[in-house]
Amino acid sequence: MTTPYVIGIGNAVMDVIAPTSDATLARLGVEKGIMQLVDRARSEFLMAAQSADPQAGKARLVPGGSVANTLAGLGMLGLRTAFIGKVAGDPLGLSYAEQTEAQGTVFVNPPVAGDVAPTSRSIIFVTPDGERSMNTYLGISGELGPDDVNPATFSGADWLFLEGYLFDKDAGKAAFLKAADACHAAGGQAGIALSDPFCVDRHRADFRRLVAGPMDYVIGNVHEWQSLYQVEDLEEALRLASADCGTVICTRSGEDAILIRGAERVTAPVHRVVPVDATGAGDQFAAGLIYGLAIGADLAAAGRMGCIAAAEVIGHVGARPESDLRAAFRAEELA
Ligand SMILES: OC[C@H]1O[C@H](O)[C@H](O)[C@@H]1O
């Protein structure tokens, strides 16, 4: 078997991981546990407040972004990966591109030079209970559009993975459709993580068309599926989802994940660990899942790989794996 090739499109975000206290969150007016979009002034204010806070831990700057984190996980698992994202030619953007390549993922489009919006950054406050509160300034990242997607990149593509967060603008939507076409033309499968119930709420009709149209697999959590189909009953939401899409995956935080592919339905047990930092749990679930599917594992095994990868990443600070996931899969006789 040739090494599976996975292409991702998502926000290219430099993460500023900042350990902090609940009191500081309250003082700064940061809403706990969600991803909040902020403007440049608020982002600079939060950065300055964090570094001036004598109670706060030292912040770490690392490349992030949901799909980029998934690709990093897949690369560490040995797959071939490429990331289509947009950064400026500023110090953050240059560092983002360089570190992405150094970690083994091809950073397809070079940083954009000139008088452009800055590179995206997310100030991620991590409280002692392991919860993460993200404050993302999108900058140039949110301007990604169809011109940034070159069909030639998709030669030999086996999998495409998209990020709902980028579905907030018409240009991002057009980029996704172009990428899905290119992936299908190469014989690959296209999928998306719904990312955020509020984003689903803002673009429900377009998300519905995407899920029922070019997406071969879709990953969402309970709130995202409920929001997509505007039903409280999860079973009803999943019934509607699997009528629309070939492979439907539902993560349920502390409970077993549900995976449905046509008439097949399985669950994957979550690995309960005390969270140190919840950032990237969904991203690494996706990495384990896509890895399993890409190497031909059955649906239940792929789901278990997703749960193992998610448990690994919440056991330490940061959104990318730090230990050998393939060894963890082997220990459970999964690969
Ligand atoms: O899913 C976690 C990611 O979402 C945000 O986009 C941050 O960049 C972080 O790395």
Side-chain angles (χ1 to χ4, degrees), residues 48 63 66 118 143 178-179 216 227 231-232 234 236 269 271 274 330:
S66 183
E143 294 173 16
K178 185 174 177 185
D216 302 297
S227 171
V231 290
E232 273 302 303
L234 177 65
E236 176 63 0
H271 287 228
V274 178
R330 272 196 304 274

Side-chain angles (χ1 to χ4, degrees), residues 8 18 78 111 122 181 198 207 213 257 271 276 288 295 305 323:
S122 183
D181 280 352
F198 303 110
F207 266 113
H271 287 228
V276 174
I295 64 164
M305 291 184 203
S323 64

Side-chain angles (χ1 to χ4, degrees), residues 324-335:
D324 182 351
L325 285 177
R326 261 192 300 191
F329 296 163
R330 272 196 304 274
E332 301 232 2
E333 297 177 357
L334 288 170

Side-chain angles (χ1 to χ4, degrees), residues 42-217:
R42 171 81 174 152
S43 158
E44 280 165 8
F45 165 77
L46 290 175
M47 288 264 244
Q50 198 283 331
S51 56
D53 182 356
Q55 311 293 325
K58 198 171 158 30
R60 269 207 295 148
L61 246 74
V62 288
S66 183
V67 155
N69 292 336
T70 300
L71 293 171
L74 286 165
M76 290 170 76
L77 282 161
L79 302 199
R80 212 153 64 84
T81 55
F83 179 51
I84 299 173
K86 201 161 188 163
V87 296
D90 54 20
L92 277 192
L94 296 173
S95 167
Y96 188 95
E98 196 181 296
Q99 290 191 61
T100 300
E101 292 266 344
Q103 288 176 14
T105 291
V106 175
F107 191 72
V108 176
N109 296 328
V112 184
D115 187 17
V116 292
T119 295
S120 173
R121 75 281 322 255
S122 183
I123 302 142
I124 305 180
F125 291 106
V126 181
T127 35
D129 57 0
E131 188 55 276
R132 90 286 185 268
S133 309
M134 304 193 280
N135 302 266
T136 306
Y137 165 59
L138 277 182
I140 196 172
S141 177
E143 294 173 16
L144 188 135
D147 292 348
D148 298 303
V149 176
N150 178 355
T153 310
F154 289 78
S155 166
D158 298 296
W159 296 83
L160 169 67
F161 190 46
L162 306 166
E163 167 181 316
Y165 285 135
L166 244 189
F167 207 61
D168 241 340
K169 290 191 179 159
D170 288 345
K173 293 175 186 173
F176 281 6
L177 294 176
K178 185 174 177 185
D181 280 352
C183 176
H184 286 146
Q189 299 198 44
I192 189 168
L194 295 175
S195 295
D196 175 43
F198 303 110
C199 187
V200 171
D201 201 38
R202 288 193 291 276
H203 302 277
R204 185 171 293 105
D206 286 335
F207 266 113
R208 289 268 282 267
R209 270 191 286 276
L210 193 72
V211 170
M215 293 299 100
D216 302 297
Y217 64 101

